[in-house]
Amino acid sequence: MRADAQKNYDTIVATATLVFTEKGMDAPLDEIATRADVGPGTLYRHFPTREDLIDAVIKSWIAQIEAAAHDAVLSDSPAREVLLSWFAEYVARISRNKGGPSKFTSAMSNPQSPIFSKCEVLREANERVLDRFRVEGVIRADIDSLEVCRIIGGVAMVADQTGLDELTTASMLGVVIDGLLTT
Amino acid sequence: MRADAQKNYDTIVATATLVFTEKGMDAPLDEIATRADVGPGTLYRHFPTREDLIDAVIKSWIAQIEAAAHDAVLSDSPAREVLLSWFAEYVARISRNKGGPSKFTSAMSNPQSPIFSKCEVLREANERVLDRFRVEGVIRADIDSLEVCRIIGGVAMVADQTGLDELTTASMLGVVIDGLLTT
DNA sequence: TTGCTAAACGGAGAATGACTCCGTATACTG
DNA sequence: CAGTATACGGAGTCATTCTCCGTTTAGCAA
């Protein structure tokens, strides 16, 4: 990539990170272009769709998600506690920016989406956590990771749209967890 | 109201019902105006916000919801079965038009919304169903009707956005129900 | 019937946001 | 340093929301 193109690319991603934090993931793309001091054309050339831009913005997620899942797999705290903390991390991650839960939970069922591979990281991390507890026989076996991601994503969507606090969200997650546990 | 105004009002509601069914609850309002053969000004005078129009379109819901809740309260089938059928009805009702689950579940937490009172009908119907099972001691007591509506609404949102079929939706509802049951 | 007036109409157009097209500018290469 | 592929950028189109205000008309009273 040409040097000026690389510079613009980086500036746009940095600006998008900022604007998404301020206004959510549905923020006007033209505003991002303006604040990054590039024309709309430049933004759209680098990122044909909003999701391409989101994909670039969330690059850093993977390590953090993997770490949280790793902790959940190894932790020897009670299953309910471990799952609550893992799901809370999951929700926090996709809810970092307003509008996030809806975007990610939709993309998870759409292999064509530019952020599908990121969603797969989420789903697979969740699968490792669930597998651990399936082996231990403490959670039901008749429901797969994708379905669990959808339910948790649903809770995150409501919390995001309604502006619910973490306590209320945790309470809802508690119901879902009890529905997953066999004990 | 003047006769011509009443006629336009009725035409707009009928057209909106049609267009919402075809294109979902986020359909362009100007299209509704055009197809109802009125100017945008007329539509917006009768219905200042999209939600005012939605409110008029869903007038007929109440009776059906009340009936389903009534059945759930009186049914002597197993709790799990009754709840599944009640929640499925709940989801079907708010999902009749694309975009519905999001609108209703948001409005439920916003007393200023023009459709808040309709949402209250939903929430109260759900409360009566839950109360029956609380009395019987088969569901947990530490979670109120609003929170349950939010969880079910979350499931409905995901199903709506992702285009999930009833079977998958029912499976997710099953998890939530198991999380509510104490048995 | 006619004339008056409050009520209602409707469409032009402003505001916002997504997205494109293409003439211009410039980074690299030889 | 000249040539060219690469990239830029902003004017402009399209879609959608929503308003303003000049025009029309329903309903009523004389």
Side-chain angles (χ1 to χ4, degrees):
Chain A
M1 196 185 315
R2 237 169 69 172
D4 56 343
Q6 182 69 57
K7 182 178 139 285
N8 277 333
Y9 182 100
D10 293 341
T11 308
I12 290 169
V13 173
T15 307
T17 304
L18 198 66
V19 175
F20 283 163
T21 302
E22 284 174 17
K23 305 201 167 181
M25 285 189 159
D26 292 313
L29 294 182
D30 282 16
E31 175 178 341
I32 295 175
T34 304
R35 286 174 58 174
D37 271 313
V38 300
T42 301
L43 187 148
Y44 282 97
R45 192 166 345 92
H46 285 298
F47 307 100
T49 72
R50 177 183 295 272
E51 291 198 335
D52 287 301
L53 183 51
I54 291 175
D55 184 58
V57 164
I58 62 176
K59 278 274 192 285
S60 64
W61 275 25
I62 290 132
Q64 293 169 31
I65 278 290
E66 301 286 7
H70 188 74
D71 289 352
V73 169
L74 295 184
S75 168
D76 52 3
S77 303
R80 195 175 194 286
E81 210 173 283
V82 174
L83 284 173
L84 185 55
S85 138
W86 159 244
F87 287 148
E89 171 66 24
Y90 183 107
V91 170
R93 190 61 47 196
I94 66 173
S95 306
R96 170 157 295 192
N97 303 119
K98 197 163 166 308
S102 168
K103 290 255 158 25
F104 295 113
T105 307
S106 292
M108 186 166 283
S109 303
N110 174 22
Q112 260 63 56
S113 166
I115 56 174
F116 178 72
S117 65
K118 291 282 189 311
C119 294
E120 282 292 275
V121 171
L122 274 175
R123 195 188 56 71
E124 281 161 16
N126 184 54
E127 185 146 44
R128 286 198 294 281
V129 176
L130 295 184
D131 273 343
R132 176 212 150 162
F133 291 114
R134 277 201 201 100
V135 168
E136 295 177 13
V138 295
I139 67 169
R140 58 201 290 168
D142 66 336
I143 188 161
D144 65 8
S145 174
L146 178 56
E147 216 156 339
V148 173
C149 284
R150 284 183 181 140
I151 301 175
I152 303 298
V155 170
M157 274 192 227
V158 178
D160 182 52
Q161 282 193 10
T162 315
L164 301 180
D165 57 38
E166 282 117 33
L167 228 67
T168 311
T169 308
S171 162
M172 293 193 286
L173 291 177
V175 173
V176 177
I177 292 169
D178 286 344
L180 291 173
L181 293 171
T182 51
T183 45
Chain B
M1 197 185 316
R2 237 168 70 172
D4 56 344
Q6 181 69 56
K7 182 178 140 287
N8 278 333
Y9 182 101
D10 293 341
T11 308
I12 290 169
V13 172
T15 307
T17 304
L18 198 66
V19 175
F20 282 163
T21 301
E22 282 175 19
K23 305 204 167 180
M25 284 188 160
D26 293 312
L29 294 182
D30 280 18
E31 177 178 341
I32 296 173
T34 304
R35 286 174 58 175
D37 270 312
V38 300
T42 301
L43 187 150
Y44 283 97
R45 193 169 343 94
H46 284 299
F47 307 99
T49 73
R50 179 183 293 273
E51 292 198 335
D52 286 302
L53 183 51
I54 291 176
D55 184 58
V57 165
I58 62 176
K59 278 274 192 285
S60 64
W61 277 25
I62 290 131
Q64 293 169 32
I65 277 290
E66 301 286 7
H70 188 74
D71 289 352
V73 168
L74 295 185
S75 168
D76 52 4
S77 304
R80 195 175 193 289
E81 208 173 287
V82 175
L83 284 173
L84 185 55
S85 135
W86 160 243
F87 287 148
E89 171 67 23
Y90 182 106
V91 170
R93 189 60 48 194
I94 66 174
S95 306
R96 170 158 294 195
N97 303 118
K98 197 163 166 306
S102 168
K103 290 255 155 27
F104 295 114
T105 307
S106 293
M108 188 167 281
S109 303
N110 173 22
Q112 261 63 57
S113 166
I115 56 175
F116 178 72
S117 66
K118 291 284 188 310
C119 294
E120 282 291 277
V121 171
L122 275 175
R123 195 188 56 69
E124 280 161 16
N126 184 55
E127 186 147 41
R128 286 198 293 282
V129 176
L130 295 184
D131 273 343
R132 175 210 150 164
F133 291 114
R134 278 203 200 96
V135 168
E136 295 177 14
V138 295
I139 67 169
R140 58 202 288 169
D142 66 336
I143 188 160
D144 64 9
S145 173
L146 177 57
E147 218 157 336
V148 173
C149 285
R150 285 184 180 139
I151 300 175
I152 303 298
V155 169
M157 274 192 227
V158 178
D160 183 51
Q161 283 194 8
T162 314
L164 302 179
D165 57 38
E166 282 118 33
L167 228 65
T168 312
T169 308
S171 161
M172 294 194 285
L173 291 178
V175 173
V176 177
I177 292 170
D178 286 343
L180 292 173
L181 293 171
T182 52
T183 46

